[in-house]
Amino acid sequence: MLDVMIQDKICFLEMRNEDRLNCLSEKLCQEIIDGLNFAYSSECVGVVIAARTNKGVWSAGHDIKELPTGGGDPLAYDVPMEKMLRKIQDLPIPVIAYVTGTVWGGACDLCLSCDMIVSVDTATFAITPAKLGIPYNASGIMHFINQLGINKAREMFFTANPITAQDALNVGLLNHIAPAEELEQMINEKILNPLRKNSILSISAIKRQFRVLSQSTSVVSSENFEMVNNWREKVFRGPDYSEGVRSFLEKRSPNYKGKAKDLDVE
Ligand code: YXS
C-alpha cells in the first residue's frame, strides 16, 4: 500500500492504495507511521508524502467502511489515522505533502499536519465531516483555524465543498502550486535541495519548537474540555452519523434528522 524510497537524504513515501482511492485505512495509516519512523532512523533530512492517483483522487480520506458504528468515536485519540497525524507532526524532521490530485476529509488533515504542502494547480481540498454527519475533533479543528484563518476554516467545515488549489494558496494552506509538468522540479528547487544543504540539527530544533509553541495557545478549561466532549459524543452517538455513513455506502443522499438544539444543555 506504500512505496518507500530514499534518494539523496530525502525519504519518499508514495501511497499505492489507488484502487481504493488511497483511503486512509488502518493498514495504510500504520504503513505511513512505519515509513516515517524508517525515514528518521535512516537519518533522512526530510520526508515527502506522495500518492499514485486514480480517478484524479490523491486520497479520499478516512476509509468510510472502517468508521466505527454502534456509538464509537470515529476520531478518537487512539484511532490509527489520528496516530498517523500526530506522528507527522512529532517527527523531528520536515514532512512535505506532495499533492497531485483531489484531497478529501482526513487526507486534508494529513496535509495540514505536514510542515509544508506543494500541490498541482488542479488539486482541490475538502474537509467533509458535515457531509457524513461526523463530529470532527478539537485537534483537527485547531489545525484548520491555525493554518487557514477562522472564516475559511468555517466555510470548509460547514459547506464540505472542495476549495481550489489557487484558493488554498491564497489563504496560506499551500506553500506552492505548479502545473503538473513543473511540480517535481519546483519541489526540488524550492524545498528539497535547501533541506539537503541546510543544518538538519537547526531545522530539527526549530520544528520541535514549532510543535510545542503551536500547542501553547490551545489549552482550554476542564469545563470547556468536557463541554466539547459532550457535543462530540451527542453527534457520534446521534442519528446523523450512522445515517451519513450508511447513505454514502448506499450511494444515496442522506436524510439527516439531527437538530442544533439537540446539543443544548439546560
Ligand atoms: O462503489 P465502490 O465499492 O466501487 O466504492 C466506491 C466508493 O464507495 C469508494 N470510496 C470510499 N470508500 C471508503 N472510504 C472512502 N473515503 C471512499 N471514497 C470513495 O471508492 C469507490 C469509487 O468511489 P466513487 O464511485 O464515489 O468515485 P468518484 O470518482 O465518483 O468520486 C470520488 C470521490 C472521492 C469524489 C468520492 O468517492 C467521494 O466523495 N468519496 C468520499 C470523500 C470523503 O468525504 N471522504 C471523507 C471520509 S471520512 C473522513 O475522512 C473523516 C472522518 S471526516 O469525515 O471527518 O473528514
Side-chain angles (χ1 to χ4, degrees), residues 144-163:
F144 283 80
I145 292 176
N146 288 337
Q147 291 168 257
L148 286 178
I150 198 158
N151 274 5
K152 184 55 84 173
R154 278 193 284 238
E155 176 191 346
M156 288 188 74
F157 272 103
F158 296 169
T159 68
N161 288 336
I163 65 169

Side-chain angles (χ1 to χ4, degrees), residues 103-109 124-129 131 144 156 160-163:
V103 178
W104 302 86
C108 207
D109 208 344
T124 62
F125 299 83
I127 184 70
T128 52
K131 197 168 72 175
F144 283 80
M156 288 188 74
N161 288 336
I163 65 169

Side-chain angles (χ1 to χ4, degrees), residues 64 67-72 74 128-135 234-259:
I64 292 172
L67 287 170
T69 51
T128 52
K131 197 168 72 175
L132 294 162
I134 289 175
K234 282 182 177 172
V235 177
F236 67 72
R237 293 192 194 287
D240 285 359
Y241 169 42
S242 49
E243 166 60 10
V245 173
R246 201 170 36 246
S247 64
F248 177 80
L249 297 177
E250 293 169 2
K251 300 186 184 300
R252 59 176 173 81
S253 296
N255 177 22
Y256 290 131
K257 300 268 196 289
K259 305 269 183 287

Side-chain angles (χ1 to χ4, degrees), residues 19-21 23 55 57 60-65 67 74-75 81 102 104-107 127-132 134-136 248-249 251:
D19 294 346
R20 305 266 312 119
L21 303 184
C23 287
K55 302 164 87 124
V57 178
H62 196 296
D63 190 327
I64 292 172
K65 294 183 172 72
L67 287 170
L75 294 173
M81 189 178 82
T102 57
W104 302 86
I127 184 70
T128 52
K131 197 168 72 175
L132 294 162
I134 289 175
Y136 217 63
F248 177 80
L249 297 177
K251 300 186 184 300

